[in-house]
Amino acid sequence: MPADTPITQDVMTIPRKMPEGKINIVGLTRDGLREALIAHGTPEKQARMRTGQIWQWVYQWGVRDFSEMTNLAKAYRADLAEHFEIRIPEIVSKQVSSDGTRKYLARIAGGHEVEVVYIPEADRGTLCISSQVGCTLTCSFCHTGTQKLVRNLTAGEIVGQVMMARDDLGEWPEQGAPKDETRLLSNIVLMGMGEPLYNFENVRDAMKIAMDGEGISLSRRRITLSTSGVVPEIAKTAEEIGCLLAVSFHATTDEVRDKLVPINRKWNIEALLGALRDYPRLSNSERITFEYVMLKDVNDSDEDARRLVQLIKGIPAKINLIPFNEWPGAPYERSTPERIRRFADIIYKAGYASPIRTPRGEDIMAACGQLKSATERARKSRRQIADETGLPS
Ligand code: SAH
Ligand code: SF4
């Protein structure tokens, strides 16, 4: 791909209000909800209070039916039901791995499907959510990267994945119950399908809703957004979302990273590191997670490990080593366990945490980078992938 070829964002988000349809409350910001209520007859003076009341029912108690909103007058509830709806993605199928990981196939408007993965651990439960159907980028080791972008998810469809998982886990608190801090769903990672920073506004609005103290109420420290390196959006992520950041680094030279993560041709390692150096200061956050997929004989040498440490000097960081997860037709192999340990050791000795991620849900193809909706017909051609990554077609 020539250097000046734009990495396209041929994206489209479906309008929230379908023709003749009702307005979906899920995904509206507080201001958006307030304005929509006023537009449909709620007196301006009452709108702020009504917004708070509806917000609580939807995001704190998980209510989906206006008739259950008992602190609103009956006639007002009927009015709401006429103009609004509370709609989240629908679970089409659920697979449970032998290790307890759950993979959901969620259907969204237009009949599209995205995958959502719940990973239970001893002290937390992490939900891995998607931001797009498919991806415009073509990272050569990623299964999602072989699927064309179909569309951006709306904010409602993004936060709706969290609500859908809470439904399945039976985790909406009883009204009046004391605030329970031990949660089955305690963390969110934006590491499913898609590049979240190519759908910035929707991801931001959805995460704001997830963080809102009067609702799902997850701390910004429990949300991690993973990007392949959309440099101009990184500072905005700190300023407007303030969550933790993970970056798909995966290589220590531009030559290799160009092939693995083709967005590197647009924003190279130096540009990416520049943006990351500013990030912790901007968001006052802890460390940046550098994700590094371990590919046999591609990026896993001792020299790579040493170069990595040099590159990230001065950035508060931890390096998450991800043994490559295979998928049918993948052009790479996983590094050997000995190689991964040796790589981890070099990084650790240089003073960085270097956890090796245990693949979860492999038996149900739920591990990192294995997500791809089998139902989507749109595929990138072998030729397109070859052109964009320099791999043989
Ligand atoms: N688009 C975003 C988030 C989704 S991918 C991004 O690229 O960061 C989440 C993580 O899984 C990324 O670090 C990605 O590079 C990694 N990944 C993709 N395919 C993988 C595979 N087959 N094995 C292991 N990790 C993979
Ligand atoms: Fe897209 Fe991320 Fe996969 Fe790259 S690794 S193709 S950015 S989902």
Side-chain angles (χ1 to χ4, degrees):
M1 183 173 63
D4 57 352
T5 305
I7 305 240
T8 52
Q9 278 193 69
D10 51 339
V11 292
M12 166 192 96
T13 305
I14 53 154
R16 193 172 271 119
K17 183 168 179 175
M18 305 297 281
E20 316 272 319
K22 297 179 180 180
I23 297 174
N24 189 12
I25 282 184
V26 180
L28 293 177
T29 59
R30 272 181 187 266
D31 282 348
L33 177 54
R34 196 173 146 268
E35 281 159 25
L37 292 177
I38 293 170
H40 289 88
T42 303
E44 243 182 287
K45 274 192 181 154
Q46 294 177 13
R48 189 170 300 281
M49 186 167 115
R50 299 285 171 251
T51 299
Q53 288 169 315
I54 297 168
W55 190 275
Q56 254 185 326
W57 284 111
V58 174
Y59 297 115
Q60 189 163 355
W61 313 120
V63 161
R64 301 287 149 74
D65 193 332
F66 294 104
S67 66
E68 291 174 41
M69 302 184 177
T70 46
N71 55 357
L72 302 175
K74 268 208 174 131
Y76 186 63
R77 287 183 240 164
D79 263 6
L80 288 175
E82 209 177 296
H83 301 295
F84 296 94
E85 61 179 354
I86 304 165
R87 185 161 38 84
I88 64 164
E90 184 193 333
I91 298 181
V92 182
S93 68
K94 172 171 115 180
Q95 284 172 281
V96 183
S97 160
S98 53
D99 70 12
T101 299
R102 301 180 187 201
K103 180 167 86 171
Y104 306 103
L105 191 61
R107 182 173 300 136
I108 55 171
H112 302 299
E113 287 165 357
V114 288
E115 293 185 325
V116 185
V117 179
Y118 173 73
I119 307 147
E121 286 172 275
D123 58 344
R124 70 173 100 177
T126 302
L127 192 72
C128 176
I129 61 176
S130 293
S131 54
Q132 300 182 311
V133 187
C135 190
T136 46
L137 302 173
T138 49
C139 303
S140 50
F141 53 90
C142 171
H143 205 199
T144 311
T146 65
Q147 179 187 329
K148 273 189 180 162
L149 178 80
V150 180
R151 71 167 169 86
N152 273 344
L153 299 192
T154 62
E157 289 163 345
I158 297 168
V159 71
Q161 295 169 56
V162 179
M163 298 164 75
M164 183 193 86
R166 289 194 101 187
D167 284 354
D168 187 59
L169 295 165
E171 195 176 40
W172 292 103
E174 290 289 322
Q175 280 173 56
K179 234 184 179 175
D180 181 5
E181 288 309 324
T182 55
R183 294 211 199 169
L184 292 171
L185 198 172
S186 61
N187 293 61
I188 297 176
V189 292
L190 280 144
M191 294 188 185
M193 297 164 72
E195 168 50 59
L197 296 188
Y198 271 165
N199 187 13
F200 186 84
E201 276 81 21
N202 289 315
V203 166
R204 176 198 59 206
D205 289 352
M207 292 306 102
K208 288 273 185 213
I209 295 171
M211 289 187 269
D212 190 297
E214 235 181 343
I216 301 169
S217 195
L218 282 174
S219 147
R220 63 166 195 88
R221 288 197 177 78
R222 292 185 171 271
I223 299 177
T224 304
L225 183 152
S226 173
T227 180
S228 58
V230 185
V231 164
E233 306 291 311
I234 287 178
K236 268 169 70 188
T237 306
E239 284 157 9
E240 297 182 32
I241 310 178
C243 60
L244 302 187
L245 189 72
V247 29
S248 295
F249 208 65
H250 304 323
T252 60
T253 62
D254 282 324
E255 193 192 348
V256 177
R257 197 163 190 269
D258 279 352
K259 292 204 173 97
L260 298 180
V261 190
I263 201 175
N264 195 68
R265 297 175 199 185
K266 188 159 187 163
W267 295 291
N268 66 11
I269 291 180
E270 196 188 331
L272 178 58
L273 289 171
L276 297 178
R277 278 182 213 288
D278 290 337
Y279 192 84
R281 189 167 51 78
L282 284 169
S283 78
N284 194 22
S285 75
E286 300 75 10
R287 293 170 297 174
I288 289 175
T289 301
F290 283 75
E291 296 164 284
Y292 198 95
V293 63
M294 298 299 295
L295 304 170
K296 189 174 180 184
D297 299 332
V298 175
N299 63 357
D300 63 351
S301 68
D302 286 359
E303 208 189 337
D304 277 308
R306 284 192 284 264
R307 225 174 359 236
L308 179 59
V309 169
Q310 283 304 317
L311 284 171
I312 65 173
K313 226 175 212 157
I315 302 178
K318 84 171 176 196
I319 292 116
N320 211 330
L321 299 175
I322 317 174
F324 174 59
N325 296 309
E326 298 194 351
W327 39 271
Y332 300 105
E333 283 174 65
R334 179 183 290 184
S335 306
T336 62
E338 301 74 48
R339 186 92 288 277
I340 300 177
R341 268 199 299 276
R342 168 95 187 124
F343 196 96
D345 207 41
I346 294 175
I347 294 168
Y348 182 73
K349 288 204 172 112
Y352 293 97
S354 55
I356 300 169
R357 196 183 289 173
T358 322
R360 297 290 304 263
E362 274 189 303
D363 53 342
I364 54 170
M365 285 280 286
C368 280
Q370 291 185 323
L371 305 182
K372 168 168 174 169
S373 51
T375 47
E376 291 294 346
R377 294 257 180 276
R379 301 263 151 97
K380 284 173 183 151
S381 66
R382 289 188 76 81
R383 163 63 47 203
Q384 186 185 357
I385 293 170
D387 286 349
E388 293 185 18
T389 62
L391 287 168
S393 57

PDB file of all heavy atoms in Angstrom, residues 132 134-146 191-196 226-229 248 250 260-263 369 380, ligand 2:
ATOM      1  N   GLN A 132     -17.276  -2.413  16.454  1.00  0.00           N
ATOM      2  CA  GLN A 132     -17.665  -2.377  15.047  1.00  0.00           C
ATOM      3  C   GLN A 132     -18.051  -3.795  14.612  1.00  0.00           C
ATOM      4  O   GLN A 132     -17.615  -4.766  15.232  1.00  0.00           O
ATOM      5  CB  GLN A 132     -16.482  -1.921  14.168  1.00  0.00           C
ATOM      6  CG  GLN A 132     -15.952  -0.533  14.488  1.00  0.00           C
ATOM      7  CD  GLN A 132     -14.809  -0.117  13.559  1.00  0.00           C
ATOM      8  OE1 GLN A 132     -13.862  -0.863  13.361  1.00  0.00           O
ATOM      9  NE2 GLN A 132     -14.914   1.077  12.988  1.00  0.00           N
ATOM     10  N   GLY A 134     -16.969  -6.192  12.129  1.00  0.00           N
ATOM     11  CA  GLY A 134     -15.796  -6.282  11.261  1.00  0.00           C
ATOM     12  C   GLY A 134     -14.805  -5.184  11.613  1.00  0.00           C
ATOM     13  O   GLY A 134     -14.873  -4.597  12.700  1.00  0.00           O
ATOM     14  N   CYS A 135     -13.881  -4.899  10.692  1.00  0.00           N
ATOM     15  CA  CYS A 135     -12.840  -3.899  10.971  1.00  0.00           C
ATOM     16  C   CYS A 135     -12.314  -3.393   9.640  1.00  0.00           C
ATOM     17  O   CYS A 135     -12.220  -4.160   8.686  1.00  0.00           O
ATOM     18  CB  CYS A 135     -11.713  -4.549  11.778  1.00  0.00           C
ATOM     19  SG  CYS A 135     -10.509  -3.365  12.437  1.00  0.00           S
ATOM     20  N   THR A 136     -11.990  -2.096   9.561  1.00  0.00           N
ATOM     21  CA  THR A 136     -11.403  -1.595   8.308  1.00  0.00           C
ATOM     22  C   THR A 136      -9.937  -1.981   8.199  1.00  0.00           C
ATOM     23  O   THR A 136      -9.355  -1.898   7.125  1.00  0.00           O
ATOM     24  CB  THR A 136     -11.406  -0.044   8.216  1.00  0.00           C
ATOM     25  OG1 THR A 136     -10.940   0.480   9.449  1.00  0.00           O
ATOM     26  CG2 THR A 136     -12.761   0.503   7.875  1.00  0.00           C
ATOM     27  N   LEU A 137      -9.335  -2.309   9.318  1.00  0.00           N
ATOM     28  CA  LEU A 137      -7.897  -2.573   9.306  1.00  0.00           C
ATOM     29  C   LEU A 137      -7.657  -4.052   9.006  1.00  0.00           C
ATOM     30  O   LEU A 137      -8.573  -4.863   9.069  1.00  0.00           O
ATOM     31  CB  LEU A 137      -7.299  -2.141  10.639  1.00  0.00           C
ATOM     32  CG  LEU A 137      -7.568  -0.646  10.916  1.00  0.00           C
ATOM     33  CD1 LEU A 137      -7.124  -0.263  12.306  1.00  0.00           C
ATOM     34  CD2 LEU A 137      -6.876   0.222   9.882  1.00  0.00           C
ATOM     35  N   THR A 138      -6.416  -4.346   8.663  1.00  0.00           N
ATOM     36  CA  THR A 138      -6.140  -5.713   8.194  1.00  0.00           C
ATOM     37  C   THR A 138      -4.918  -6.293   8.897  1.00  0.00           C
ATOM     38  O   THR A 138      -3.989  -6.740   8.230  1.00  0.00           O
ATOM     39  CB  THR A 138      -5.867  -5.699   6.673  1.00  0.00           C
ATOM     40  OG1 THR A 138      -4.914  -4.662   6.404  1.00  0.00           O
ATOM     41  CG2 THR A 138      -7.124  -5.460   5.869  1.00  0.00           C
ATOM     42  N   CYS A 139      -4.919  -6.242  10.215  1.00  0.00           N
ATOM     43  CA  CYS A 139      -3.779  -6.834  10.924  1.00  0.00           C
ATOM     44  C   CYS A 139      -3.713  -8.305  10.516  1.00  0.00           C
ATOM     45  O   CYS A 139      -4.717  -9.015  10.569  1.00  0.00           O
ATOM     46  CB  CYS A 139      -3.949  -6.672  12.424  1.00  0.00           C
ATOM     47  SG  CYS A 139      -4.150  -4.936  12.892  1.00  0.00           S
ATOM     48  N   SER A 140      -2.522  -8.729  10.103  1.00  0.00           N
ATOM     49  CA  SER A 140      -2.443 -10.002   9.381  1.00  0.00           C
ATOM     50  C   SER A 140      -2.601 -11.220  10.280  1.00  0.00           C
ATOM     51  O   SER A 140      -2.812 -12.321   9.788  1.00  0.00           O
ATOM     52  CB  SER A 140      -1.116 -10.069   8.627  1.00  0.00           C
ATOM     53  OG  SER A 140      -0.060  -9.739   9.502  1.00  0.00           O
ATOM     54  N   PHE A 141      -2.530 -11.024  11.597  1.00  0.00           N
ATOM     55  CA  PHE A 141      -2.644 -12.161  12.531  1.00  0.00           C
ATOM     56  C   PHE A 141      -4.035 -12.232  13.153  1.00  0.00           C
ATOM     57  O   PHE A 141      -4.303 -13.060  14.009  1.00  0.00           O
ATOM     58  CB  PHE A 141      -1.595 -12.003  13.653  1.00  0.00           C
ATOM     59  CG  PHE A 141      -1.707 -10.654  14.299  1.00  0.00           C
ATOM     60  CD1 PHE A 141      -2.541 -10.472  15.376  1.00  0.00           C
ATOM     61  CD2 PHE A 141      -1.044  -9.557  13.772  1.00  0.00           C
ATOM     62  CE1 PHE A 141      -2.700  -9.226  15.945  1.00  0.00           C
ATOM     63  CE2 PHE A 141      -1.194  -8.296  14.327  1.00  0.00           C
ATOM     64  CZ  PHE A 141      -2.023  -8.141  15.418  1.00  0.00           C
ATOM     65  N   CYS A 142      -4.924 -11.315  12.750  1.00  0.00           N
ATOM     66  CA  CYS A 142      -6.210 -11.173  13.453  1.00  0.00           C
ATOM     67  C   CYS A 142      -7.360 -11.676  12.580  1.00  0.00           C
ATOM     68  O   CYS A 142      -7.480 -11.272  11.418  1.00  0.00           O
ATOM     69  CB  CYS A 142      -6.429  -9.704  13.817  1.00  0.00           C
ATOM     70  SG  CYS A 142      -8.074  -9.354  14.448  1.00  0.00           S
ATOM     71  N   HIS A 143      -8.174 -12.525  13.156  1.00  0.00           N
ATOM     72  CA  HIS A 143      -9.281 -13.104  12.400  1.00  0.00           C
ATOM     73  C   HIS A 143     -10.294 -12.039  11.992  1.00  0.00           C
ATOM     74  O   HIS A 143     -10.812 -12.053  10.878  1.00  0.00           O
ATOM     75  CB  HIS A 143      -9.955 -14.180  13.260  1.00  0.00           C
ATOM     76  CG  HIS A 143     -10.679 -15.226  12.475  1.00  0.00           C
ATOM     77  ND1 HIS A 143     -11.643 -16.033  13.030  1.00  0.00           N
ATOM     78  CD2 HIS A 143     -10.586 -15.606  11.188  1.00  0.00           C
ATOM     79  CE1 HIS A 143     -12.097 -16.851  12.101  1.00  0.00           C
ATOM     80  NE2 HIS A 143     -11.473 -16.619  10.984  1.00  0.00           N
ATOM     81  N   THR A 144     -10.572 -11.107  12.918  1.00  0.00           N
ATOM     82  CA  THR A 144     -11.530 -10.045  12.593  1.00  0.00           C
ATOM     83  C   THR A 144     -11.035  -9.250  11.383  1.00  0.00           C
ATOM     84  O   THR A 144     -11.829  -8.776  10.567  1.00  0.00           O
ATOM     85  CB  THR A 144     -11.718  -9.075  13.782  1.00  0.00           C
ATOM     86  OG1 THR A 144     -11.966  -9.836  14.957  1.00  0.00           O
ATOM     87  CG2 THR A 144     -12.873  -8.130  13.552  1.00  0.00           C
ATOM     88  N   GLY A 145      -9.706  -9.110  11.279  1.00  0.00           N
ATOM     89  CA  GLY A 145      -9.118  -8.339  10.182  1.00  0.00           C
ATOM     90  C   GLY A 145      -9.374  -8.942   8.805  1.00  0.00           C
ATOM     91  O   GLY A 145      -9.179  -8.272   7.792  1.00  0.00           O
ATOM     92  N   THR A 146      -9.815 -10.195   8.756  1.00  0.00           N
ATOM     93  CA  THR A 146     -10.122 -10.795   7.449  1.00  0.00           C
ATOM     94  C   THR A 146     -11.579 -10.532   7.061  1.00  0.00           C
ATOM     95  O   THR A 146     -12.022 -10.917   5.992  1.00  0.00           O
ATOM     96  CB  THR A 146      -9.888 -12.323   7.450  1.00  0.00           C
ATOM     97  OG1 THR A 146     -10.809 -12.932   8.359  1.00  0.00           O
ATOM     98  CG2 THR A 146      -8.474 -12.674   7.860  1.00  0.00           C
ATOM     99  N   MET A 191     -11.890  -4.854  23.430  1.00  0.00           N
ATOM    100  CA  MET A 191     -10.912  -5.681  22.719  1.00  0.00           C
ATOM    101  C   MET A 191     -11.600  -6.721  21.843  1.00  0.00           C
ATOM    102  O   MET A 191     -10.999  -7.729  21.464  1.00  0.00           O
ATOM    103  CB  MET A 191      -9.991  -6.403  23.708  1.00  0.00           C
ATOM    104  CG  MET A 191      -9.085  -5.498  24.494  1.00  0.00           C
ATOM    105  SD  MET A 191      -7.910  -6.422  25.453  1.00  0.00           S
ATOM    106  CE  MET A 191      -7.105  -5.107  26.381  1.00  0.00           C
ATOM    107  N   GLY A 192     -12.873  -6.484  21.575  1.00  0.00           N
ATOM    108  CA  GLY A 192     -13.580  -7.428  20.703  1.00  0.00           C
ATOM    109  C   GLY A 192     -13.367  -7.053  19.244  1.00  0.00           C
ATOM    110  O   GLY A 192     -12.260  -6.682  18.848  1.00  0.00           O
ATOM    111  N   MET A 193     -14.441  -7.115  18.485  1.00  0.00           N
ATOM    112  CA  MET A 193     -14.305  -6.813  17.061  1.00  0.00           C
ATOM    113  C   MET A 193     -14.239  -5.307  16.840  1.00  0.00           C
ATOM    114  O   MET A 193     -14.978  -4.545  17.456  1.00  0.00           O
ATOM    115  CB  MET A 193     -15.526  -7.381  16.310  1.00  0.00           C
ATOM    116  CG  MET A 193     -15.608  -8.893  16.414  1.00  0.00           C
ATOM    117  SD  MET A 193     -17.227  -9.516  15.948  1.00  0.00           S
ATOM    118  CE  MET A 193     -17.183  -9.276  14.207  1.00  0.00           C
ATOM    119  N   GLY A 194     -13.339  -4.907  15.943  1.00  0.00           N
ATOM    120  CA  GLY A 194     -13.313  -3.513  15.523  1.00  0.00           C
ATOM    121  C   GLY A 194     -12.244  -2.662  16.186  1.00  0.00           C
ATOM    122  O   GLY A 194     -11.639  -3.059  17.178  1.00  0.00           O
ATOM    123  N   GLU A 195     -12.031  -1.499  15.595  1.00  0.00           N
ATOM    124  CA  GLU A 195     -11.065  -0.529  16.123  1.00  0.00           C
ATOM    125  C   GLU A 195     -11.854   0.573  16.828  1.00  0.00           C
ATOM    126  O   GLU A 195     -12.481   1.423  16.176  1.00  0.00           O
ATOM    127  CB  GLU A 195     -10.223   0.026  14.960  1.00  0.00           C
ATOM    128  CG  GLU A 195      -9.382   1.247  15.309  1.00  0.00           C
ATOM    129  CD  GLU A 195      -8.542   1.088  16.566  1.00  0.00           C
ATOM    130  OE1 GLU A 195      -7.710   0.174  16.621  1.00  0.00           O
ATOM    131  OE2 GLU A 195      -8.731   1.883  17.505  1.00  0.00           O
ATOM    132  N   PRO A 196     -11.846   0.594  18.161  1.00  0.00           N
ATOM    133  CA  PRO A 196     -12.697   1.549  18.881  1.00  0.00           C
ATOM    134  C   PRO A 196     -12.438   3.009  18.524  1.00  0.00           C
ATOM    135  O   PRO A 196     -13.351   3.816  18.524  1.00  0.00           O
ATOM    136  CB  PRO A 196     -12.386   1.287  20.362  1.00  0.00           C
ATOM    137  CG  PRO A 196     -11.358   0.227  20.419  1.00  0.00           C
ATOM    138  CD  PRO A 196     -11.116  -0.318  19.055  1.00  0.00           C
ATOM    139  N   SER A 226      -8.559  -0.759  23.828  1.00  0.00           N
ATOM    140  CA  SER A 226      -7.383  -1.211  23.069  1.00  0.00           C
ATOM    141  C   SER A 226      -7.426  -0.647  21.660  1.00  0.00           C
ATOM    142  O   SER A 226      -8.432  -0.755  20.966  1.00  0.00           O
ATOM    143  CB  SER A 226      -7.384  -2.746  23.013  1.00  0.00           C
ATOM    144  OG  SER A 226      -6.354  -3.204  22.148  1.00  0.00           O
ATOM    145  N   THR A 227      -6.325  -0.041  21.261  1.00  0.00           N
ATOM    146  CA  THR A 227      -6.249   0.505  19.903  1.00  0.00           C
ATOM    147  C   THR A 227      -5.041  -0.050  19.171  1.00  0.00           C
ATOM    148  O   THR A 227      -4.013  -0.337  19.782  1.00  0.00           O
ATOM    149  CB  THR A 227      -6.177   2.048  19.909  1.00  0.00           C
ATOM    150  OG1 THR A 227      -6.103   2.497  18.547  1.00  0.00           O
ATOM    151  CG2 THR A 227      -4.972   2.575  20.677  1.00  0.00           C
ATOM    152  N   SER A 228      -5.192  -0.145  17.864  1.00  0.00           N
ATOM    153  CA  SER A 228      -4.073  -0.580  17.040  1.00  0.00           C
ATOM    154  C   SER A 228      -3.104   0.580  16.810  1.00  0.00           C
ATOM    155  O   SER A 228      -2.029   0.393  16.263  1.00  0.00           O
ATOM    156  CB  SER A 228      -4.608  -1.096  15.706  1.00  0.00           C
ATOM    157  OG  SER A 228      -5.342  -0.072  15.072  1.00  0.00           O
ATOM    158  N   GLY A 229      -3.517   1.809  17.221  1.00  0.00           N
ATOM    159  CA  GLY A 229      -2.604   2.947  17.108  1.00  0.00           C
ATOM    160  C   GLY A 229      -3.129   4.083  16.259  1.00  0.00           C
ATOM    161  O   GLY A 229      -2.433   4.604  15.392  1.00  0.00           O
ATOM    162  N   SER A 248      -1.937  -2.091  20.741  1.00  0.00           N
ATOM    163  CA  SER A 248      -1.495  -3.317  20.055  1.00  0.00           C
ATOM    164  C   SER A 248      -0.155  -3.021  19.406  1.00  0.00           C
ATOM    165  O   SER A 248      -0.102  -2.548  18.280  1.00  0.00           O
ATOM    166  CB  SER A 248      -2.534  -3.703  18.993  1.00  0.00           C
ATOM    167  OG  SER A 248      -3.740  -4.029  19.630  1.00  0.00           O
ATOM    168  N   HIS A 250       3.066  -5.084  19.233  1.00  0.00           N
ATOM    169  CA  HIS A 250       3.336  -6.294  18.439  1.00  0.00           C
ATOM    170  C   HIS A 250       4.630  -6.359  17.639  1.00  0.00           C
ATOM    171  O   HIS A 250       4.919  -7.407  17.054  1.00  0.00           O
ATOM    172  CB  HIS A 250       2.188  -6.586  17.459  1.00  0.00           C
ATOM    173  CG  HIS A 250       0.847  -6.724  18.092  1.00  0.00           C
ATOM    174  ND1 HIS A 250       0.636  -7.314  19.318  1.00  0.00           N
ATOM    175  CD2 HIS A 250      -0.393  -6.341  17.669  1.00  0.00           C
ATOM    176  CE1 HIS A 250      -0.652  -7.289  19.616  1.00  0.00           C
ATOM    177  NE2 HIS A 250      -1.291  -6.697  18.642  1.00  0.00           N
ATOM    178  N   LEU A 260       2.469  -6.452  10.291  1.00  0.00           N
ATOM    179  CA  LEU A 260       1.539  -7.026  11.271  1.00  0.00           C
ATOM    180  C   LEU A 260       0.353  -6.101  11.519  1.00  0.00           C
ATOM    181  O   LEU A 260      -0.790  -6.548  11.613  1.00  0.00           O
ATOM    182  CB  LEU A 260       2.257  -7.297  12.597  1.00  0.00           C
ATOM    183  CG  LEU A 260       3.410  -8.303  12.571  1.00  0.00           C
ATOM    184  CD1 LEU A 260       3.998  -8.449  13.969  1.00  0.00           C
ATOM    185  CD2 LEU A 260       2.939  -9.664  12.057  1.00  0.00           C
ATOM    186  N   VAL A 261       0.642  -4.831  11.666  1.00  0.00           N
ATOM    187  CA  VAL A 261      -0.391  -3.831  12.005  1.00  0.00           C
ATOM    188  C   VAL A 261      -0.298  -2.727  10.949  1.00  0.00           C
ATOM    189  O   VAL A 261       0.378  -1.728  11.142  1.00  0.00           O
ATOM    190  CB  VAL A 261      -0.136  -3.250  13.423  1.00  0.00           C
ATOM    191  CG1 VAL A 261      -1.311  -2.413  13.896  1.00  0.00           C
ATOM    192  CG2 VAL A 261       0.170  -4.348  14.438  1.00  0.00           C
ATOM    193  N   PRO A 262      -0.944  -2.899   9.803  1.00  0.00           N
ATOM    194  CA  PRO A 262      -0.701  -1.997   8.667  1.00  0.00           C
ATOM    195  C   PRO A 262      -0.978  -0.518   8.936  1.00  0.00           C
ATOM    196  O   PRO A 262      -0.473   0.330   8.205  1.00  0.00           O
ATOM    197  CB  PRO A 262      -1.652  -2.518   7.583  1.00  0.00           C
ATOM    198  CG  PRO A 262      -1.973  -3.913   7.970  1.00  0.00           C
ATOM    199  CD  PRO A 262      -1.851  -4.005   9.470  1.00  0.00           C
ATOM    200  N   ILE A 263      -1.711  -0.195   9.977  1.00  0.00           N
ATOM    201  CA  ILE A 263      -1.931   1.222  10.288  1.00  0.00           C
ATOM    202  C   ILE A 263      -0.600   1.899  10.628  1.00  0.00           C
ATOM    203  O   ILE A 263      -0.486   3.122  10.596  1.00  0.00           O
ATOM    204  CB  ILE A 263      -2.951   1.361  11.449  1.00  0.00           C
ATOM    205  CG1 ILE A 263      -3.573   2.753  11.443  1.00  0.00           C
ATOM    206  CG2 ILE A 263      -2.341   1.046  12.796  1.00  0.00           C
ATOM    207  CD1 ILE A 263      -4.670   2.931  12.470  1.00  0.00           C
ATOM    208  N   GLY A 369      -8.615 -12.087  19.249  1.00  0.00           N
ATOM    209  CA  GLY A 369      -8.298 -12.134  17.829  1.00  0.00           C
ATOM    210  C   GLY A 369      -8.958 -13.264  17.071  1.00  0.00           C
ATOM    211  O   GLY A 369      -8.758 -13.418  15.879  1.00  0.00           O
ATOM    212  N   LYS A 380     -12.782  -9.949   3.180  1.00  0.00           N
ATOM    213  CA  LYS A 380     -11.716  -9.336   2.415  1.00  0.00           C
ATOM    214  C   LYS A 380     -11.124 -10.432   1.542  1.00  0.00           C
ATOM    215  O   LYS A 380     -11.015 -11.574   1.973  1.00  0.00           O
ATOM    216  CB  LYS A 380     -10.655  -8.806   3.365  1.00  0.00           C
ATOM    217  CG  LYS A 380     -11.106  -7.528   4.042  1.00  0.00           C
ATOM    218  CD  LYS A 380     -10.157  -7.077   5.093  1.00  0.00           C
ATOM    219  CE  LYS A 380     -10.725  -5.833   5.773  1.00  0.00           C
ATOM    220  NZ  LYS A 380     -10.286  -5.712   7.140  1.00  0.00           N
TER     221      LYS A 380
HETATM  222 FE1  SF4 B   2      -8.907  -4.615  13.571  1.00  0.00          FE
HETATM  223 FE2  SF4 B   2      -7.735  -4.829  16.006  1.00  0.00          FE
HETATM  224 FE3  SF4 B   2      -8.014  -6.982  14.430  1.00  0.00          FE
HETATM  225 FE4  SF4 B   2      -6.276  -5.082  13.773  1.00  0.00          FE
HETATM  226  S1  SF4 B   2      -6.189  -6.405  15.611  1.00  0.00           S
HETATM  227  S2  SF4 B   2      -7.732  -6.087  12.375  1.00  0.00           S
HETATM  228  S3  SF4 B   2      -7.351  -3.252  14.451  1.00  0.00           S
HETATM  229  S4  SF4 B   2      -9.667  -5.794  15.336  1.00  0.00           S
END
